[in-house]
Amino acid sequence: MKLDVLKNMSYGMYIIGARDEKMVGCVANTVVQITNDPITFIVSLNKNNVTTKTILKTKKFSVSILDEETNPEVIGTFGYHTSREIDKYENIDYHEVDGLPVLEDSCGYITCEVINILETTTHLVILGKVLTMDGYKDIKPMTYRFYHEQLKGKSPKTAPTYIPETNTKKTVWKCKVCGYEVEMDKLPEDYRCPICGQPMTAFERIEK
């Protein structure tokens, strides 16, 4: 199979939020409207995510729509760390809607009530009926292609759209904090991770 075909599929970039004893969240790219009466969305999340487990318990979730001006560190925080270990909202501007966290650094948000769940091998497809939609800003939303091509971001293995790397050998530097990878012979001394802001000393050289 030609896995590169998957790179031409269109996706957005979103922060999925939930709340139980504490607020949790994660990055998702698979959020799709499937009906308009009632307005219903699906989101695909890894079964082992803290956010997923919280949504299963509380039956509610929020979706913050990231835009091209979103600080990449937001993606680093929500995409490459776990809510088991850190408070992802500690340094993030947000407010609550329907008891759920939504990001200020977004071009709109929705909140949903879970109405059904479909199970796959590694992910759950969660159907949610919209409770609230607001926060619209006339800013270009971030696409998955923009994330990969402009921010040079990588998909973690827990992402539903993760594609294994090919066997072509190349020199890659990997951030030990967030997992961001950049292909370059040598990193400049003033280089900083565009996702989590770490200096070049936080990178390790790997061969691929």
Side-chain angles (χ1 to χ4, degrees), residues 33-41:
Q33 181 182 350
I34 59 169
T35 68
N36 67 348
D37 187 17
I39 302 175
T40 305
F41 282 81

PDB file of all heavy atoms in Angstrom, residues 33-41:
ATOM      1  N   GLN A  33     -18.060  16.963  11.448  1.00  0.00           N
ATOM      2  CA  GLN A  33     -19.507  17.089  11.585  1.00  0.00           C
ATOM      3  C   GLN A  33     -20.162  16.025  10.712  1.00  0.00           C
ATOM      4  O   GLN A  33     -19.845  15.889   9.525  1.00  0.00           O
ATOM      5  CB  GLN A  33     -19.982  18.471  11.155  1.00  0.00           C
ATOM      6  CG  GLN A  33     -21.493  18.656  11.311  1.00  0.00           C
ATOM      7  CD  GLN A  33     -21.979  20.012  10.835  1.00  0.00           C
ATOM      8  OE1 GLN A  33     -21.181  20.903  10.551  1.00  0.00           O
ATOM      9  NE2 GLN A  33     -23.286  20.175  10.723  1.00  0.00           N
ATOM     10  N   ILE A  34     -21.117  15.276  11.279  1.00  0.00           N
ATOM     11  CA  ILE A  34     -21.744  14.196  10.518  1.00  0.00           C
ATOM     12  C   ILE A  34     -23.248  14.392  10.296  1.00  0.00           C
ATOM     13  O   ILE A  34     -23.816  13.760   9.405  1.00  0.00           O
ATOM     14  CB  ILE A  34     -21.487  12.820  11.168  1.00  0.00           C
ATOM     15  CG1 ILE A  34     -22.025  12.793  12.602  1.00  0.00           C
ATOM     16  CG2 ILE A  34     -20.019  12.465  11.131  1.00  0.00           C
ATOM     17  CD1 ILE A  34     -22.039  11.397  13.209  1.00  0.00           C
ATOM     18  N   THR A  35     -23.920  15.220  11.110  1.00  0.00           N
ATOM     19  CA  THR A  35     -25.325  15.543  10.878  1.00  0.00           C
ATOM     20  C   THR A  35     -25.558  17.006  11.232  1.00  0.00           C
ATOM     21  O   THR A  35     -24.761  17.617  11.951  1.00  0.00           O
ATOM     22  CB  THR A  35     -26.288  14.680  11.719  1.00  0.00           C
ATOM     23  OG1 THR A  35     -26.146  15.024  13.104  1.00  0.00           O
ATOM     24  CG2 THR A  35     -26.016  13.198  11.537  1.00  0.00           C
ATOM     25  N   ASN A  36     -26.699  17.556  10.735  1.00  0.00           N
ATOM     26  CA  ASN A  36     -27.006  18.945  11.055  1.00  0.00           C
ATOM     27  C   ASN A  36     -28.295  19.113  11.853  1.00  0.00           C
ATOM     28  O   ASN A  36     -28.644  20.227  12.247  1.00  0.00           O
ATOM     29  CB  ASN A  36     -27.081  19.797   9.773  1.00  0.00           C
ATOM     30  CG  ASN A  36     -28.257  19.429   8.886  1.00  0.00           C
ATOM     31  OD1 ASN A  36     -28.897  18.397   9.103  1.00  0.00           O
ATOM     32  ND2 ASN A  36     -28.527  20.252   7.892  1.00  0.00           N
ATOM     33  N   ASP A  37     -29.022  18.029  12.108  1.00  0.00           N
ATOM     34  CA  ASP A  37     -30.248  18.142  12.897  1.00  0.00           C
ATOM     35  C   ASP A  37     -30.487  16.852  13.675  1.00  0.00           C
ATOM     36  O   ASP A  37     -31.111  15.918  13.150  1.00  0.00           O
ATOM     37  CB  ASP A  37     -31.437  18.451  11.985  1.00  0.00           C
ATOM     38  CG  ASP A  37     -32.709  18.743  12.777  1.00  0.00           C
ATOM     39  OD1 ASP A  37     -32.592  19.018  13.995  1.00  0.00           O
ATOM     40  OD2 ASP A  37     -33.803  18.697  12.178  1.00  0.00           O
ATOM     41  N   PRO A  38     -29.954  16.760  14.905  1.00  0.00           N
ATOM     42  CA  PRO A  38     -29.189  17.804  15.585  1.00  0.00           C
ATOM     43  C   PRO A  38     -27.755  17.873  15.045  1.00  0.00           C
ATOM     44  O   PRO A  38     -27.286  16.917  14.419  1.00  0.00           O
ATOM     45  CB  PRO A  38     -29.187  17.334  17.040  1.00  0.00           C
ATOM     46  CG  PRO A  38     -29.231  15.833  16.938  1.00  0.00           C
ATOM     47  CD  PRO A  38     -30.105  15.547  15.742  1.00  0.00           C
ATOM     48  N   ILE A  39     -27.081  18.993  15.296  1.00  0.00           N
ATOM     49  CA  ILE A  39     -25.684  19.132  14.879  1.00  0.00           C
ATOM     50  C   ILE A  39     -24.841  18.166  15.707  1.00  0.00           C
ATOM     51  O   ILE A  39     -24.805  18.249  16.937  1.00  0.00           O
ATOM     52  CB  ILE A  39     -25.177  20.570  15.061  1.00  0.00           C
ATOM     53  CG1 ILE A  39     -26.044  21.538  14.254  1.00  0.00           C
ATOM     54  CG2 ILE A  39     -23.718  20.678  14.625  1.00  0.00           C
ATOM     55  CD1 ILE A  39     -25.691  23.001  14.456  1.00  0.00           C
ATOM     56  N   THR A  40     -24.207  17.239  15.015  1.00  0.00           N
ATOM     57  CA  THR A  40     -23.464  16.168  15.682  1.00  0.00           C
ATOM     58  C   THR A  40     -22.068  16.049  15.095  1.00  0.00           C
ATOM     59  O   THR A  40     -21.892  16.149  13.883  1.00  0.00           O
ATOM     60  CB  THR A  40     -24.198  14.820  15.516  1.00  0.00           C
ATOM     61  OG1 THR A  40     -25.538  14.954  15.996  1.00  0.00           O
ATOM     62  CG2 THR A  40     -23.502  13.715  16.295  1.00  0.00           C
ATOM     63  N   PHE A  41     -21.082  15.857  15.982  1.00  0.00           N
ATOM     64  CA  PHE A  41     -19.688  15.689  15.571  1.00  0.00           C
ATOM     65  C   PHE A  41     -19.175  14.333  16.044  1.00  0.00           C
ATOM     66  O   PHE A  41     -19.698  13.755  16.999  1.00  0.00           O
ATOM     67  CB  PHE A  41     -18.805  16.781  16.186  1.00  0.00           C
ATOM     68  CG  PHE A  41     -18.900  18.107  15.496  1.00  0.00           C
ATOM     69  CD1 PHE A  41     -19.950  18.973  15.772  1.00  0.00           C
ATOM     70  CD2 PHE A  41     -17.942  18.503  14.573  1.00  0.00           C
ATOM     71  CE1 PHE A  41     -20.051  20.207  15.141  1.00  0.00           C
ATOM     72  CE2 PHE A  41     -18.027  19.727  13.930  1.00  0.00           C
ATOM     73  CZ  PHE A  41     -19.084  20.583  14.220  1.00  0.00           C
TER      74      PHE A  41
END
